[in-house]
Amino acid sequence: MTDLIPYLAVFAGGFVGSVHCVGMCGGFACALCASRDRSLWRRQLLYNLGRVSTYVFLGGLAGLAGGWIVHEGAGWGSAPQRLLAVVSGTLLIVIALQFFGYRLSARLGRAAIVTDSLAAGLRSVARNPRLSAPLALGALNGFLPCPLVYAFAVQAAATAAVLPGMALMGAFGLGTFPAMLFMGFGGALLGPRFKQAQVAGALLLVLGVITLARAMLPAPVHGGHV
Amino acid sequence: MNGELCRHCLLPVRRGGYAREVNGEPSIFCCYGCALAFQVRHGQGEEAEAVGLLIRLGVGGFLSMNIMLFSLLIYTGTLELEDPLVVHAIHWLLWALGTAVMIVLGGPFLVQAWRALREGRLIADSLISLGAVAAYGYSTLEVWNGGDGIYFDTATMVLVLFTLGRYLEAAGRARAARSLAPLLAAERAEANVVGDGADQRRPVIELAPGSIVRVRPGERVPVDGIVIEGASQCDEAILTGEPKPRIKTAGTPIYAGSLNGTGQLLVRMTAAGQATRWGEISAYVRRALARSSRLERLVDRVAAAFVPAVVVLAVGVVVFWSQRLSFEQALMIGLAVLVVACPCALGLAAPLATGQAIWHAIERGVLVRGGQVLESLARVRTVAFDKTGTLTQGVARLEGVHVTGAISRNEILRRAGAVALGSEHAFAAATVEAAQARRLSLEPATGVRAYPGEGAIGTRGPTRIAVGSAALLVGRLGWICPPDLVVAAQKSAADGLSLVYVGWNARVYGVLVFVSDVAKVAKPMLQALARQGISVALLSGDRPEATRHVAEDLGIEAWQGGLSAQDKVVALSALEKRGPVAMVGDGLNDGPALASATVSVAVGGATDLARETADIALPAEGLGELPEVIALARRTRRTITGNIAWAFGYNFLALAAASTGLLQPVLAAALMAGSSLFVLLRTIARNARQGRIQVLQPITESLPKARLAR
């Protein structure tokens, strides 16, 4: 049972982070519900299936990559693994701060051309009536740059193996499931969600700090697992 | 930034954030993802092209990712699978997923390749089809026989990468074409027809003149007509090259193809579709785009030979390596060879760049006849100019009239005007104008016969009137010119003015003296050409003195005057020895010369025939555009040759690397997609719009310099 605790933590992280997911990707889920309502359940499920599938894939890749960085059998506590945990914890803290309103500003410039084309493409996919469209949208959506996903992907890399990486990202994806389904059916955003954002931000902050702490503390404290 | 919310997810943005303009409104977002998501939901852009490809990509990606996952698990030994039944089950699962991918992603390639094969051709799709089918087929056999050489992950990843490459190509091409779309859409335009009740949207070809059309703000005007209600400003750049907006109110004419500003207009239609200038330009551009240049045809031939060569190479590679390694490994090397070859870059290189260049020219009001024209123009070393109507303003002015004896100036004008009424020459128009300014009634002469470069002879009543050069009246007709007129004429000639002799009844009675001001833009334009390393020549049918005057004024060293149309052709072929020559004229007495030049350029005031048949037609007052068009042609040529050089270099190196087994198939596919994408992005970036130029700003000495300094 204790082996599952890390995964539960990640699940919670996904659930909590859904506040952000709802904000950003809820838009996509909403765009899907603009089509015929009869197949709404199927479309939403396909969409989320595609999304979570991509996350799991990223997790597997991350785990593989992590495995290269961290030599097999090095176990918890090796320097590269700590480094990955540090990165992950930092990313989580950064996202938590975003929930409180502190962002890193970004400039796009020329890449704006890519955004416009990408946005137009995704918009057309979302409106397409075929059943394959939600699945495609979900699969592509999962690749969109999202700091939350990256934070957990780094954690997946820290597991240094394919299967745990997959499982970790799968847990994350499942954590976002409820909120995304809700968005898909609910539709309208219920106004500014300061309070929820701050609670979520606080929880993510705690998660980030814990991850960082575990990266810094000596090995025996952990009990040998992520 | 305090207190602002992300426009999409409504989370607070206290510091930093991400500003973007969406639908014309500046908005702030908390992150790139929100900006993108907002655009997806609310953006009002054009429909994306190749959506089908994108959906396929998503579904194919989904399936492939699952294949990869299982393959990863097996490959890293994570699943400790000792039970052969489980292993077998997983292999069958992989096969099922792989088959789905072959259908979803491989289907289109296979269909295209099969079609081409039936026509006896091998195309790029044939390569990927062959490779994917080989890898899939082999892996299926292995699964059937319980073997281990399963390569579904390789085959599917290759297909995903190829589809990604295709999608990027299609999106990029669509993006480039989107800017051309309004120009090509004249006949397919739709209009909001006002009738009883709500507006109906109908295609313009169904409408009859007199229909009332509503033009909304920001819309492209679909028909020619008169505004009957409303007020707005319209951008007519597409038709005239002039970006200054024109005010449109009740009673003003409005033209199809122009872009409406912020007001709504009700228009009574007079013409639509092909009957409008927009329609003409559309048809012109479509023809221009369809004409492939020599270079494009060469590239097509090379590309056609390339694909079979790669197939042969791949087969040879498999045979070679299967004697040194296992068949599986040899197969994978062969797959890499098939997949890494990129003939797409070759096929993509020229049309995209050419299409964009033609569009850029159109935006300036310059009509380019086809890709070959740009190619030739890029290689031009000399530009020859006609004088009257080209370097000098198309409008001549009558400066004075020399008379002799008792004949009045008005009488001279009346008679000259009678013959001049039928002529398009600048002097004829000036004569008529001067006559009308003096309120002289003009009776058109009959039986007017024109002698190009010399003048015209017509009859009014019993009198035979001749208007033209001394060569016509004195030389050809043998009429007498009184000495006082000769002296007066010589004096004007020495001043560099242009002379037209008027006579009847076998005597010369007057000399019309014309001045054609040199076009203000001529000198800066010539300086710009000099900076581009182009030599300039002046070929004129006017007298040598007048020609010399203009040549000195403009600083042209190579000039010849008194040339007939045939003489100009001879002069051009002499210039051709130095390299391709462009001839700029108005078609009036340089028709044959224009036709014989490598590139013919008709100026704004040229005859309709000249503009129709010329390689390049400049807009009215557009002489200054010439250096820009040449620069555009050179830039395009460099882009195309650069792309071709890349295509050859890349293919050579990549095929070599693949043949020696250095490249894994998936890596090969990634390289191939990368190469296509590189060519695409390079072409688009190089030809990206560099900002509008006001063509009709007050033309100052510094203007062309400023343009070329970019």
Side-chain angles (χ1 to χ4, degrees):
Chain A
M1 188 59 200
T2 48
D3 274 358
L4 281 182
I5 290 181
Y7 294 109
L8 282 178
V10 170
F11 179 92
F15 187 73
V16 147
S18 314
V19 176
H20 183 262
C21 291
V22 154
M24 172 170 140
C25 301
F28 293 110
C30 248
L32 283 175
C33 69
S35 337
R36 292 172 318 208
D37 282 26
R38 254 184 308 145
S39 54
L40 198 54
W41 262 109
R42 265 182 294 171
R43 292 176 73 86
Q44 293 299 329
L45 281 176
L46 282 172
Y47 168 71
N48 284 299
L49 176 65
R51 208 169 50 87
V52 173
S53 182
T54 304
Y55 290 158
V56 170
F57 175 69
L58 287 174
L61 280 185
L64 186 69
W68 292 335
I69 300 175
V70 180
H71 288 302
E72 277 185 23
W76 181 253
S78 63
Q81 213 160 21
R82 287 179 190 270
L83 184 63
L84 286 173
V86 164
V87 172
S88 172
T90 314
L91 273 175
L92 278 171
I93 295 178
V94 164
I95 292 166
L97 287 176
Q98 276 194 0
F99 279 40
F100 288 106
Y102 298 101
R103 322 251 168 215
L104 306 163
S105 58
R107 275 171 302 134
L108 251 206
R110 282 261 179 97
I113 298 179
V114 175
T115 312
D116 288 342
S117 311
L118 193 58
L122 290 176
R123 184 166 56 234
S124 303
V125 173
R127 293 193 189 140
N128 197 287
R130 288 191 288 204
L131 264 185
S132 49
L135 185 62
L137 187 65
L140 295 169
N141 201 355
F143 281 108
L144 284 182
C146 172
L148 200 62
V149 172
Y150 293 163
F152 285 107
V154 174
Q155 282 216 334
T159 64
V162 174
L163 194 55
M166 285 168 56
L168 194 142
M169 288 299 282
F172 166 70
L174 286 175
T176 65
F177 228 86
M180 291 300 281
L181 279 179
F182 172 72
M183 273 310 298
F185 290 99
L189 294 170
L190 306 167
R193 301 181 310 275
F194 288 122
K195 289 259 176 64
Q196 293 117 301
Q198 284 174 342
V199 167
L203 285 173
L204 279 177
L205 197 58
V206 167
L207 192 60
V209 168
I210 292 177
T211 312
L212 265 186
R214 282 161 77 221
M216 318 269 201
L217 294 171
V221 178
H222 302 284
H225 205 288
V226 174
Chain B
M1 294 275 177
N2 268 354
E4 276 208 40
L5 301 178
C6 166
R7 194 158 172 214
H8 182 66
C9 68
L10 300 181
L11 285 179
V13 181
R14 278 206 200 103
R15 200 187 303 161
Y18 193 82
R20 255 186 87 73
E21 204 178 271
V22 180
N23 298 339
E25 279 177 59
S27 315
I28 193 124
F29 299 102
C30 68
C31 62
Y32 174 75
C34 274
L36 186 62
F38 185 80
Q39 255 188 297
V40 169
R41 271 217 76 195
H42 303 285
Q44 285 152 22
E46 314 81 359
E47 278 304 303
E49 297 280 340
V51 176
L53 261 179
L54 194 54
I55 294 181
R56 271 182 203 273
L57 189 61
V59 173
F62 169 77
L63 292 167
S64 307
M65 283 192 288
N66 283 304
I67 295 180
M68 287 287 289
L69 283 172
F70 279 104
S71 305
L72 260 182
L73 289 173
I74 295 177
Y75 167 67
T76 55
T78 312
L79 299 178
E80 312 262 306
L81 304 164
E82 280 141 3
D83 187 352
L85 208 62
V86 174
V87 174
H88 215 64
I90 293 186
H91 282 176
W92 276 110
L93 174 65
L94 287 178
W95 173 85
L97 290 172
T99 309
V101 174
M102 281 298 284
I103 296 174
V104 168
L105 290 186
F109 295 116
L110 286 166
V111 164
Q112 291 297 326
W114 177 246
R115 278 201 200 129
L117 194 60
R118 288 227 306 247
E119 291 171 19
R121 292 185 302 136
L122 285 178
I123 54 176
D125 288 5
S126 321
L127 292 176
I128 174 65
S129 305
L130 188 58
V133 166
Y136 170 79
Y138 181 80
S139 306
T140 307
L141 276 176
E142 285 282 292
V143 172
W144 190 258
N145 295 334
D148 249 343
I150 315 286
Y151 294 99
F152 292 116
D153 54 345
T154 306
T156 55
M157 271 317 283
V158 162
L159 282 173
V160 166
L161 286 168
F162 257 79
T163 308
L164 179 63
R166 279 298 157 87
Y167 169 71
L168 291 171
E169 253 177 66
R173 236 200 308 255
R175 191 171 175 79
R178 205 170 289 145
S179 48
L180 270 174
L183 199 51
L184 302 176
E187 290 93 16
R188 285 179 290 140
E190 288 183 340
N192 302 312
V193 184
V194 175
D196 310 320
D199 291 351
Q200 275 185 319
R201 195 152 179 85
R202 288 170 57 197
V204 293
I205 44 178
E206 289 177 15
L207 301 179
S211 312
I212 312 290
V213 165
R214 186 191 309 274
V215 182
R216 293 197 280 252
E219 237 190 351
R220 197 164 289 274
V221 180
V223 297
D224 279 355
I226 311 276
V227 178
I228 53 179
E229 202 181 293
S232 183
Q233 291 179 323
C234 284
D235 175 359
E236 294 177 344
I238 224 182
L239 302 168
T240 62
E242 189 187 334
K244 207 168 38 166
R246 301 295 185 114
I247 302 200
K248 302 287 173 187
T249 52
T252 48
I254 190 169
Y255 302 103
S258 55
L259 208 52
N260 189 18
T262 51
Q264 193 178 100
L265 296 170
L266 283 182
V267 175
R268 190 194 313 280
M269 166 184 152
T270 54
Q274 280 175 328
T276 61
R277 177 99 186 100
W278 185 30
E280 281 173 16
I281 297 184
S282 285
Y284 182 93
V285 171
R286 273 202 304 272
R287 282 197 301 269
L289 291 175
R291 285 192 193 99
S292 59
S293 63
R294 253 200 332 258
L295 193 58
E296 280 175 22
R297 283 194 293 274
L298 176 66
V299 165
D300 283 341
R301 277 206 302 270
V302 169
F306 180 69
V307 172
V310 171
V311 173
V312 167
L313 177 66
V315 170
V317 159
V318 170
V319 166
F320 176 81
W321 285 109
S322 57
Q323 284 158 4
R324 290 161 179 72
L325 307 168
S326 73
F327 181 70
E328 272 172 35
Q329 288 170 306
L331 193 66
M332 283 301 113
I333 295 180
L335 177 62
V337 167
L338 281 175
V339 154
V340 88
C342 182
C344 328
L346 283 176
L348 202 57
L352 194 62
T354 306
Q356 281 192 303
I358 291 184
W359 166 250
H360 286 321
I362 291 275
E363 280 184 324
R364 305 181 120 80
V366 177
L367 301 176
V368 176
R369 205 144 178 266
Q372 179 62 50
V373 170
L374 287 174
E375 229 177 90
S376 306
L377 190 62
R379 292 180 298 125
V380 152
R381 305 301 311 278
T382 316
V383 177
F385 289 89
D386 178 36
K387 182 177 79 71
T388 311
T390 303
L391 285 180
T392 62
Q393 285 177 339
V395 175
R397 251 187 321 121
L398 181 71
E399 217 191 41
V401 185
H402 295 302
V403 290
T404 182
I407 310 290
S408 70
R409 290 189 161 76
N410 284 355
E411 185 58 30
I412 301 286
L413 276 176
R414 231 182 262 121
R415 303 221 184 211
V419 176
L421 273 174
S423 171
E424 286 180 329
H425 200 279
F427 293 162
T431 307
V432 170
E433 200 185 306
Q436 285 169 342
R438 286 171 162 76
R439 301 187 196 288
L440 303 174
S441 59
L442 292 179
E443 243 178 73
T446 53
V448 175
R449 185 170 161 202
Y451 293 82
E454 294 183 356
I457 304 177
T459 316
R460 203 182 64 171
T463 333
R464 200 159 160 241
I465 307 174
V467 177
S469 60
L472 177 67
L473 279 78
V474 178
R476 190 189 281 263
L477 293 173
W479 290 0
I480 302 168
C481 190
D484 53 340
L485 266 188
V486 173
V487 168
Q490 271 174 349
K491 197 156 162 302
S492 293
D495 286 340
L497 297 165
S498 302
L499 305 173
V500 173
Y501 293 76
V502 184
W504 58 90
N505 293 340
R507 267 181 78 93
V508 178
Y509 284 98
V511 180
L512 300 171
V513 181
F514 291 97
V515 66
S516 291
D517 297 319
V518 162
K520 281 202 277 291
V521 77
K523 193 145 189 187
M525 185 267 300
L526 289 171
Q527 286 170 341
L529 284 183
R531 276 194 300 273
Q532 288 179 315
I534 294 181
S535 349
V536 166
L538 177 56
L539 305 175
S540 175
D542 203 356
R543 288 171 309 111
E545 289 85 10
T547 311
R548 181 175 54 91
H549 200 76
V550 169
E552 279 173 0
D553 200 14
L554 293 175
I556 301 177
E557 286 176 1
W559 62 270
Q560 292 181 52
L563 297 174
S564 72
Q566 259 325 100
D567 292 334
K568 288 188 186 178
V569 176
V570 171
L572 271 181
S573 32
L575 290 171
E576 293 255 348
K577 291 198 178 63
R578 258 187 289 162
V581 175
M583 171 84 194
V584 183
D586 60 0
L588 273 176
N589 49 12
D590 48 21
L594 280 177
S596 76
T598 319
V599 178
S600 55
V601 181
V603 292
T607 62
D608 286 342
L609 183 63
R611 287 182 68 81
E612 280 297 306
T613 53
D615 292 323
I616 296 180
L618 296 176
E621 317 284 334
L623 192 60
E625 295 290 344
L626 189 59
E628 273 301 313
V629 179
I630 292 181
L632 183 66
R634 287 180 174 181
R635 205 162 55 227
T636 306
R637 185 154 187 268
R638 271 199 299 271
T639 303
I640 295 178
T641 48
N643 286 345
I644 293 179
W646 164 265
F648 273 108
Y650 162 82
N651 276 305
F652 182 74
L653 286 175
L655 283 172
S659 304
T660 52
L662 284 172
L663 291 177
Q664 277 196 353
V666 176
L667 184 59
L671 281 177
M672 186 270 176
S675 168
S676 287
L677 189 60
F678 175 71
V679 169
L680 194 73
L681 288 179
R682 179 174 182 266
T683 305
I684 292 181
R686 277 180 67 93
N687 281 18
R689 291 185 53 182
Q690 309 207 0
R692 278 222 72 105
I693 309 231
Q694 299 282 347
V695 172
L696 291 187
Q697 284 269 293
I699 296 181
T700 60
E701 285 271 316
S702 59
L703 187 57
K705 267 200 288 259
R707 285 194 219 162
L708 290 177
R710 267 184 288 105

